[in-house]
Amino acid sequence: MLVVDDDVEIGALLSRYLDGQGLSVRTAHDGRQLREAVREADFDLVLLDLGLPDEDGLDLMRDLRRQWQGPVIIVSGRGEPVERIIGLELGADDYVSKPFDLRELLARIRSVLRRARPSGEGGDSPGFEFDGWRLDARARRLTRSDGGETELTSGEFDLLLALLQRAGQVLTRDQLMNVLHGHDAGPYDRAIDVQIGRLRRKIETDPARPQLIKSVRGAGYLLAAPVRPF
């Protein structure tokens, strides 16, 4: 995994701790080093600090998503809710505020890595077909009927898979938060709404009038299209 933090001491601390937990870690300290690292190696996860010296972390997150779709956990001392929401909208899989507990950070990293592994995610079915789309749960790929692939972040994939596995059933925000982050949604937590919005923009013909992922007022969301396992 790649740890990106402008504080050399924090980077070294995280590297020592995570290495001791069996995770192979490389560090970067600015946007240039991050881009070089992503070009040179295929990482399982990026741990991204927003407070980098050479450019805004959210701009860097946006640029990273243009070239890499792997799991990203944002780590930041800037804990304003709006930044958390923007980070999730840009495709982050989780957001951890500084100061953090190392054990909690490790648990979140392992949770994201478990979800990203391409083995066993589909339960009894290796995938689903719906409304001209085909989701391969084992390969973690979403393709259209013409064969073109639509890239999903690990969080978007897990959210779509959960909806497909329970097509026609209403899933509450708490249920979906447990799928994505392993905990219930708080009263002001918009993480699921943000992820749903991103997913709609990728699979809906008109995201402003969604026909596939329906909102159920006061309850949650459901996948409304006919679904065929394969």
Side-chain angles (χ1 to χ4, degrees):
M1 64 176 291
L2 179 65
V3 172
V4 187
D5 198 301
D6 67 316
D7 190 315
V8 175
E9 292 184 1
I10 291 179
L13 170 65
L14 289 173
S15 182
R16 287 195 303 272
Y17 177 74
L18 295 172
D19 276 338
Q21 300 298 321
L23 297 171
S24 177
V25 176
R26 176 174 170 178
T27 57
H29 304 295
D30 55 35
R32 179 185 60 80
Q33 292 180 8
L34 166 62
R35 291 185 179 90
E36 289 178 355
V38 171
R39 284 196 299 269
E40 293 170 359
D42 185 17
F43 296 98
D44 293 327
L45 182 144
V46 171
L47 198 65
L48 176 63
D49 178 39
L50 292 184
L52 299 179
D54 56 341
E55 60 186 296
D56 181 77
L58 291 175
D59 289 340
L60 186 56
M61 176 70 205
R62 183 181 293 107
D63 188 48
L64 177 63
R65 273 295 176 236
R66 294 191 185 105
Q67 57 180 311
W68 191 75
Q69 295 297 315
V72 178
I73 298 178
I74 287 178
V75 180
S76 177
R78 305 183 301 190
E80 293 85 352
V82 64
E83 284 202 339
R84 183 168 188 266
I85 291 169
I86 293 173
L88 293 168
E89 286 178 337
L90 293 175
D93 295 273
D94 206 348
Y95 190 112
V96 179
S97 297
K98 293 181 179 178
F100 50 77
D101 181 89
L102 286 173
R103 291 171 298 178
E104 178 188 356
L105 179 62
L106 177 63
R108 288 176 180 256
I109 289 171
R110 285 177 169 166
S111 176
V112 170
L113 288 175
R114 278 196 303 272
R115 298 198 310 267
R117 290 190 185 107
S119 59
E121 293 91 345
D124 294 332
S125 174
F128 300 91
E129 294 179 344
F130 67 103
D131 197 55
W133 293 96
R134 179 183 176 93
L135 186 80
D136 187 329
R138 291 175 179 167
R140 296 183 71 87
R141 296 177 68 239
L142 177 66
T143 54
R144 299 182 297 275
S145 56
D146 62 6
E149 183 173 354
T150 295
E151 292 186 334
L152 299 177
T153 67
S154 60
E156 292 163 358
F157 175 90
D158 293 328
L159 181 57
L160 179 56
L161 180 59
L163 290 165
L164 288 168
Q165 288 172 329
R166 302 164 184 82
Q169 301 178 33
V170 177
L171 295 179
T172 67
R173 287 176 176 81
D174 280 346
Q175 288 174 313
L176 292 172
M177 279 294 289
N178 270 307
V179 169
L180 295 185
H181 303 296
H183 60 80
D184 291 342
Y188 305 107
D189 199 328
R190 287 188 51 204
I192 292 302
D193 300 327
V194 170
Q195 294 275 41
I196 289 287
R198 284 179 55 84
L199 190 53
R200 281 171 169 165
R201 288 194 290 274
K202 292 186 176 183
I203 69 171
E204 296 277 4
T205 302
D206 182 359
R209 297 176 177 81
Q211 301 300 310
L212 300 178
I213 303 176
K214 295 281 194 177
S215 301
V216 181
R217 187 176 181 85
Y221 298 96
L222 66 81
L223 198 290
V227 174
R228 186 177 72 84
F230 64 83

